[in-house]
Amino acid sequence: MTPSFDLAYLTDLAREAGRIALDWFRHTTVEMKSDATPVTQADKAIERFLTAKLRQAYPDFGILGEEGADLDERARFRWVLDPIDGTNAFAAGLPVWGISIGLMEGARPLAGVVYLPAVDDMFAVDLDGPATLNGHPIHVIEDGPITSESIILSAADAHLRWDIRFPGKVRAFGSCAAHICYVAAGSALAGLNSHTAIWDIAAALPILERAGGRAELFGGGALPLAAAARGQKIPEPILFGSPAYFDAIRGYLLPK
Ligand code: IPD
Ligand code: CA
Ligand code: CA
């Protein structure tokens, strides 16, 4: 069964959510949740906004959100929301954070949008067709040498996990969804994330895959999406980009 939804409606919602976020940006207060991760007024306001709008427009779809939304978990199709992916960066006044709205069928991410309001970058993918950035098709980097100019987008704790021998540049902007999307767009060769939850990747994964990329466990093997869709964090770092580079990148990161 193919779900019926309107990608243009999702991009409009993400832009509206982006305006809510920008209203709070650089004058928000941060609270720590019971899992010791931060949340702001903007995260909560955006999740409430998206939940209300999506519920109204798609009453048969379930909704799972990082800030507590959990409606119809048995529905065949579910919206998986990260109202702000990159809350730590948002709260610090850094510009790389985004609104992520993914559509999943069971444990399978199907489509979605990731919108970065501070730089007005809209990544989107429908049920078919290419992944796009601001309406233009995107593609991962899939050939060419790794040089001192190559970039990987890093998990924030990479310096604690690995002795990193990558000959290029290692950057960490603070949003898993943004990292995956910029890798999908060929701005960086590959990326890594740790402590990954389903809302970090529900929209970004189909964007990556339709741009020719893939995500795997750093240690090898498929992501445990069924467990992630039930709320479990992925227990080891993930690696994303073109599989053509995976072996080389693993070889540059020596476990500490
Ligand atoms: C986090 C960010 C961060 C990533 C973590 C995520 P949040 O999401 O994407 O970059 O490394 O795995 O949990 O808490 O800002 O929504
Ligand atoms: Ca997140
Ligand atoms: Ca979040």
Side-chain angles (χ1 to χ4, degrees):
M1 189 174 126
T2 309
S4 171
F5 84 100
D6 181 6
L7 188 65
Y9 180 71
L10 279 200
T11 57
D12 286 351
L13 275 189
R15 279 188 206 286
E16 269 192 70
R19 282 190 283 275
I20 297 173
L22 288 172
D23 281 346
W24 289 106
F25 189 43
R26 295 186 174 145
H27 49 86
T28 186
T29 50
V30 187
E31 281 169 52
M32 296 313 276
K33 295 188 282 191
S34 55
D35 66 353
T37 64
V39 64
T40 72
Q41 296 102 322
D43 299 77
K44 294 180 194 171
I46 293 168
E47 186 159 302
R48 274 197 306 272
F49 166 78
L50 292 176
T51 302
K53 292 286 187 180
L54 290 166
R55 195 61 180 166
Q56 192 178 29
Y58 302 98
D60 297 338
F61 291 13
I63 301 180
L64 177 69
E66 179 177 11
E67 306 311 335
D70 194 359
L71 299 170
D72 292 352
E73 67 178 43
R74 285 154 187 264
R76 175 162 191 171
F77 300 107
R78 270 203 305 183
W79 299 111
V80 178
L81 311 177
D82 198 334
I84 295 186
D85 184 57
T87 297
N88 175 276
F90 176 83
L94 294 168
V96 181
W97 43 272
I99 287 115
S100 174
I101 309 173
L103 178 63
M104 295 187 61
E105 178 176 18
R108 194 161 70 99
L110 298 177
V113 301
V114 174
Y115 178 54
L116 282 80
V119 288
D120 195 22
D121 274 348
M122 178 71 75
F123 294 91
V125 74
D126 214 330
L127 295 169
D128 48 28
T132 59
L133 167 55
N134 299 331
H136 303 287
I138 53 176
H139 209 276
V140 294
I141 299 171
E142 59 191 352
D143 51 29
I146 294 176
T147 71
S148 60
E149 295 306 301
S150 300
I151 298 170
I152 56 175
L153 300 181
S154 176
D157 60 359
H159 59 298
L160 302 173
R161 287 181 180 273
W162 296 292
D163 177 4
I164 302 174
R165 307 284 176 89
F166 183 68
K169 301 177 194 311
V170 181
R171 306 191 192 281
F173 295 126
S175 160
C176 171
H179 283 181
I180 295 176
C181 289
Y182 285 113
V183 166
S187 297
L189 197 67
L192 297 146
N193 194 60
S194 38
H195 311 293
T196 308
I198 195 66
W199 35 75
D200 301 323
I201 55 177
L205 276 189
I207 291 171
L208 175 71
E209 285 169 9
R210 225 73 68 62
R214 198 164 79 204
E216 283 185 359
L217 294 174
F218 182 77
L223 301 186
L225 290 177
R230 289 194 301 271
Q232 293 171 27
K233 287 205 173 179
I234 296 178
E236 62 167 290
I238 66 169
L239 171 62
F240 44 88
S242 165
Y245 291 109
F246 284 176
D247 285 348
I249 288 169
R250 288 183 174 114
Y252 293 130
L253 299 175
L254 312 181
K256 279 191 169 174

